[in-house]
mmCIF file of all heavy atoms in Angstrom:
data_model
loop_
_atom_site.group_PDB
_atom_site.id
_atom_site.type_symbol
_atom_site.label_atom_id
_atom_site.label_comp_id
_atom_site.label_asym_id
_atom_site.label_seq_id
_atom_site.Cartn_x
_atom_site.Cartn_y
_atom_site.Cartn_z
ATOM 1 N N LYS B 15 15.820 1.302 -7.314
ATOM 2 C CA LYS B 15 14.669 2.199 -7.210
ATOM 3 C C LYS B 15 13.433 1.623 -7.906
ATOM 4 O O LYS B 15 12.306 1.886 -7.523
ATOM 5 C CB LYS B 15 15.042 3.519 -7.897
ATOM 6 C CG LYS B 15 14.396 4.725 -7.280
ATOM 7 C CD LYS B 15 14.984 6.037 -7.721
ATOM 8 C CE LYS B 15 15.155 6.241 -9.178
ATOM 9 N NZ LYS B 15 15.267 7.668 -9.536
ATOM 10 N N HIS B 16 13.646 0.851 -8.973
ATOM 11 C CA HIS B 16 12.520 0.367 -9.765
ATOM 12 C C HIS B 16 12.170 -1.072 -9.450
ATOM 13 O O HIS B 16 11.371 -1.680 -10.151
ATOM 14 C CB HIS B 16 12.840 0.501 -11.256
ATOM 15 C CG HIS B 16 13.306 1.867 -11.618
ATOM 16 N ND1 HIS B 16 12.446 2.930 -11.741
ATOM 17 C CD2 HIS B 16 14.559 2.357 -11.848
ATOM 18 C CE1 HIS B 16 13.142 4.015 -12.033
ATOM 19 N NE2 HIS B 16 14.415 3.706 -12.107
ATOM 20 N N SER B 17 12.793 -1.633 -8.398
ATOM 21 C CA SER B 17 12.532 -3.041 -8.076
ATOM 22 C C SER B 17 11.365 -3.176 -7.119
ATOM 23 O O SER B 17 10.964 -2.225 -6.455
ATOM 24 C CB SER B 17 13.753 -3.660 -7.393
ATOM 25 O OG SER B 17 14.891 -3.532 -8.170
ATOM 26 N N THR B 18 10.882 -4.423 -7.042
ATOM 27 C CA THR B 18 9.875 -4.745 -6.027
ATOM 28 C C THR B 18 10.607 -4.904 -4.691
ATOM 29 O O THR B 18 11.841 -4.892 -4.657
ATOM 30 C CB THR B 18 9.190 -6.079 -6.355
ATOM 31 O OG1 THR B 18 10.207 -7.103 -6.367
ATOM 32 C CG2 THR B 18 8.512 -6.044 -7.703
ATOM 33 N N SER B 19 9.846 -5.106 -3.594
ATOM 34 C CA SER B 19 10.498 -5.264 -2.275
ATOM 35 C C SER B 19 11.374 -6.504 -2.255
ATOM 36 O O SER B 19 12.473 -6.491 -1.698
ATOM 37 C CB SER B 19 9.443 -5.405 -1.175
ATOM 38 O OG SER B 19 8.483 -4.418 -1.327
ATOM 39 N N ILE B 20 10.885 -7.588 -2.886
ATOM 40 C CA ILE B 20 11.680 -8.815 -2.892
ATOM 41 C C ILE B 20 12.960 -8.576 -3.680
ATOM 42 O O ILE B 20 14.044 -9.059 -3.315
ATOM 43 C CB ILE B 20 10.885 -9.998 -3.498
ATOM 44 C CG1 ILE B 20 9.560 -10.175 -2.762
ATOM 45 C CG2 ILE B 20 11.693 -11.281 -3.421
ATOM 46 C CD1 ILE B 20 8.679 -11.265 -3.330
ATOM 47 N N GLY B 21 12.860 -7.791 -4.759
ATOM 48 C CA GLY B 21 14.044 -7.463 -5.547
ATOM 49 C C GLY B 21 15.067 -6.707 -4.722
ATOM 50 O O GLY B 21 16.278 -6.922 -4.842
ATOM 51 N N LYS B 22 14.584 -5.821 -3.843
ATOM 52 C CA LYS B 22 15.507 -5.056 -2.998
ATOM 53 C C LYS B 22 16.185 -5.973 -1.976
ATOM 54 O O LYS B 22 17.382 -5.843 -1.714
ATOM 55 C CB LYS B 22 14.754 -3.923 -2.287
ATOM 56 C CG LYS B 22 14.383 -2.801 -3.247
ATOM 57 C CD LYS B 22 13.415 -1.796 -2.635
ATOM 58 C CE LYS B 22 13.070 -0.754 -3.692
ATOM 59 N NZ LYS B 22 11.825 -0.049 -3.442
ATOM 60 N N ILE B 23 15.426 -6.918 -1.440
ATOM 61 C CA ILE B 23 16.030 -7.872 -0.499
ATOM 62 C C ILE B 23 17.078 -8.711 -1.233
ATOM 63 O O ILE B 23 18.184 -8.943 -0.715
ATOM 64 C CB ILE B 23 14.959 -8.795 0.127
ATOM 65 C CG1 ILE B 23 13.984 -7.963 0.971
ATOM 66 C CG2 ILE B 23 15.596 -9.871 0.987
ATOM 67 C CD1 ILE B 23 12.782 -8.746 1.471
ATOM 68 N N TRP B 24 16.764 -9.129 -2.455
ATOM 69 C CA TRP B 24 17.705 -9.933 -3.242
ATOM 70 C C TRP B 24 19.005 -9.170 -3.446
ATOM 71 O O TRP B 24 20.112 -9.711 -3.316
ATOM 72 C CB TRP B 24 17.075 -10.298 -4.587
ATOM 73 C CG TRP B 24 18.017 -10.966 -5.529
ATOM 74 C CD1 TRP B 24 18.358 -12.288 -5.557
ATOM 75 C CD2 TRP B 24 18.782 -10.339 -6.566
ATOM 76 N NE1 TRP B 24 19.288 -12.527 -6.556
ATOM 77 C CE2 TRP B 24 19.558 -11.348 -7.190
ATOM 78 C CE3 TRP B 24 18.889 -9.041 -7.037
ATOM 79 C CZ2 TRP B 24 20.419 -11.084 -8.249
ATOM 80 C CZ3 TRP B 24 19.749 -8.777 -8.095
ATOM 81 C CH2 TRP B 24 20.494 -9.794 -8.691
#
Side-chain angles (χ1 to χ4, degrees):
Chain B
K15 212 167 49 160
H16 309 283
S17 304
T18 60
S19 312
I20 305 177
K22 287 169 182 158
I23 296 172
W24 173 82

